[in-house]
Amino acid sequence: MEVKFLDSKSSSLSEKAALVARTKSSPFSSFEHSVGVKFSQEFSSCRGVFTKASYLSSNGTFMPKRAISSVDKEKTAAENYFYQISSNGAGSSLFSRNVGVLDACDDEYGGVVVDPDRLPVNPDAFAPMLQFSLSHWKMKGKKGIWLKLPLERSELVPVAVKEGFEYHHAERGYVMLTYWIPGGPCMLPSNATHQVGVGGFVINDKNEVLVVQEKFYAPSFADVWKIPTGFILESEEIYTGAVREVKEETGVDTEFVEVIAFRHAHNLDFDKSDLFFVCMLKPLSAQIKVDDLEIQAAKWMPLVEFVAQPLIQEDGLFKKIIDICIARLGKHYCGLLPRQVVSKFDDRPSCLYYNVLDTGNVNCNGN
């Protein structure tokens, strides 16, 4: 298919021929217009969809379509074009389409974020609008384009990929795609690189540790008792995540004391890195109620018995974690406490974990 763009304002009256464009056997049969057309050898054409086509501007100047700019507001820029469609040279018809810039807003880094709630309802309109928008944003000197497509608009994904968009990340309800306009390497931030896990070291006044056996485990972990662990949720603090995980797996209520230590590992699930925070928690209840979905069993286990397990003794990581927890119990070690701070970079509160050693503090707590 050959497509040609004509601007309805580009021709003088003496050069126009009134005709009616009708196509009964094409997908454009719904368009019927009486228009004026100027035929010129200056027109260039393209195959397929409306990329890299040319048109005559309102002042009669020949321009490539990628040089089209908005006349009014950026978000509502649109032009009326007449398209000449030739199928294998066998004939042509004319129809009009209003092509506008996709609704979007600027980000603080010179890029554009497309509004996912205001995408064109008609999927057939998305390709020309996306092409027009990219041309418009290029002229405006924009850099990265962020295109979030909801699950219910998944039919637009192959259209965006065809225009050069790349996958960035996906969640249950959407896929995020990006497009880098400037030459050279893409400077957009990559997808999240880490997952964050927590473990709760809960010990009572009887020197018993709250431990669990999971339902699903590797053969090497059979019969091993371990501390409750899990991943924190989106927008969840480390200390609240640790308290929640212990409650979910064992039914025991706890109070956060400190972050004892954390481990940083790489190339784990889905080639992501992993941050695992070991938190010391104080029990507020004793009765155990096991989570039947994940946990096989849970109990209070004497500390000496817990430490004596072969896996703890033979594994350098587990043994070191337990050694640190025991040192904290003996007040020979101080962990980290969260403090709410606000940065001028984003004006948002966040938790900074740190500790200032006070030799006069017998509990070895932070200040």
Side-chain angles (χ1 to χ4, degrees):
M1 176 181 286
E2 186 177 75
V3 181
K4 295 185 179 180
F5 292 81
L6 292 80
D7 187 340
S8 59
K9 300 176 286 185
S10 64
S11 306
S12 64
L13 289 174
S14 60
E15 294 171 314
K16 290 180 180 178
L19 52 91
V20 176
R22 297 185 180 181
T23 57
K24 300 296 185 182
S25 60
S26 76
F28 311 109
S29 57
S30 60
F31 294 91
E32 180 175 317
H33 301 280
S34 178
V35 298
V37 183
K38 175 182 178 180
F39 295 95
S40 168
Q41 296 300 318
E42 290 179 307
F43 287 114
S44 67
S45 61
C46 64
R47 299 279 176 181
V49 206
F50 318 128
T51 56
K52 300 181 181 177
S54 303
Y55 80 114
L56 284 179
S57 67
S58 55
N59 61 8
T61 306
F62 172 70
M63 296 175 64
K65 180 174 182 284
R66 60 175 174 270
I68 296 172
S69 62
S70 168
V71 228
D72 298 312
K73 296 180 180 178
E74 278 190 37
K75 295 179 182 178
T76 57
E79 293 266 6
N80 275 323
Y81 303 101
F82 294 103
Y83 299 90
Q84 181 171 348
I85 312 298
S86 297
S87 180
N88 300 324
S92 64
S93 61
L94 290 170
F95 70 94
S96 173
R97 169 172 274 178
N98 189 38
V99 180
V101 176
L102 292 168
D103 285 293
C105 62
D106 294 339
D107 65 22
E108 56 184 315
Y109 304 104
V112 173
V113 180
V114 177
D115 188 344
D117 298 321
R118 302 189 66 180
L119 295 168
V121 177
N122 184 358
D124 295 333
F126 181 65
M129 287 187 73
L130 184 59
Q131 294 156 10
F132 186 93
S133 300
L134 289 174
S135 298
H136 176 75
W137 293 326
K138 287 176 184 178
M139 283 199 63
K140 291 292 182 180
K142 299 301 179 183
K143 297 177 182 178
I145 311 300
W146 297 88
L147 177 62
K148 180 180 180 180
L149 295 179
L151 183 62
E152 60 271 17
R153 303 307 309 274
S154 58
E155 77 277 5
L156 303 182
V157 172
V159 179
V161 171
K162 186 175 181 180
E163 293 304 319
F165 278 80
E166 298 179 343
Y167 292 120
H168 187 268
H169 68 274
E171 295 290 346
R172 285 179 178 268
Y174 72 87
V175 61
M176 181 70 77
L177 298 101
T178 59
Y179 186 102
W180 182 248
I181 292 178
C186 176
M187 300 301 291
L188 293 174
S190 60
N191 183 25
T193 59
H194 287 66
Q195 58 188 16
V196 181
V198 288
F201 185 81
V202 187
I203 189 163
N204 61 19
D205 295 336
K206 300 176 183 178
N207 230 22
E208 295 173 327
V209 182
L210 182 61
V211 294
V212 298
Q213 284 185 338
E214 296 183 341
K215 277 192 173 181
F216 310 100
Y217 51 83
S220 58
F221 285 89
D223 300 323
V224 171
W225 293 93
K226 57 182 281 295
I227 62 174
T229 60
F231 292 110
I232 66 171
L233 306 176
E234 186 175 352
S235 301
E236 185 178 41
E237 297 291 350
I238 294 169
Y239 60 90
T240 55
V243 171
R244 176 188 53 77
E245 280 292 341
V246 170
K247 175 68 174 179
E248 288 180 356
E249 293 190 357
T250 68
V252 175
D253 294 311
T254 60
E255 178 181 72
F256 174 81
V257 179
E258 292 174 352
V259 170
I260 297 300
F262 69 90
R263 181 213 61 181
H264 194 196
H266 306 285
N267 300 317
L268 299 183
D269 295 341
F270 308 107
D271 296 323
K272 297 295 184 181
S273 296
D274 181 272
L275 285 168
F276 177 70
F277 291 84
V278 181
C279 301
M280 178 164 283
L281 306 177
K282 177 183 177 181
L284 301 178
S285 64
Q287 186 174 356
I288 293 175
K289 184 179 179 180
V290 171
D291 174 16
D292 292 332
L293 293 177
E294 298 181 61
I295 303 302
Q296 183 69 37
K299 67 178 182 178
W300 292 99
M301 187 178 198
L303 177 61
V304 290
E305 186 180 332
F306 174 66
V307 175
Q309 293 183 99
L311 181 64
I312 299 296
Q313 291 298 316
E314 297 168 4
D315 188 280
L317 174 65
F318 287 168
K319 188 174 187 308
K320 189 63 179 178
I321 289 175
I322 299 305
D323 287 346
I324 293 172
C325 290
I326 292 174
R328 173 63 184 85
L329 291 173
K331 302 175 183 177
H332 302 301
Y333 176 89
C334 285
L336 307 175
L337 284 172
R339 271 80 169 186
Q340 287 282 337
V341 293
V342 177
S343 170
K344 289 186 177 180
F345 284 102
D346 54 17
D347 291 323
R348 294 180 179 181
S350 59
C351 278
L352 181 64
Y353 287 78
Y354 67 95
N355 208 340
V356 177
L357 182 62
D358 184 355
T359 53
N361 191 332
V362 295
N363 293 318
C364 204
N365 287 326
N367 301 306

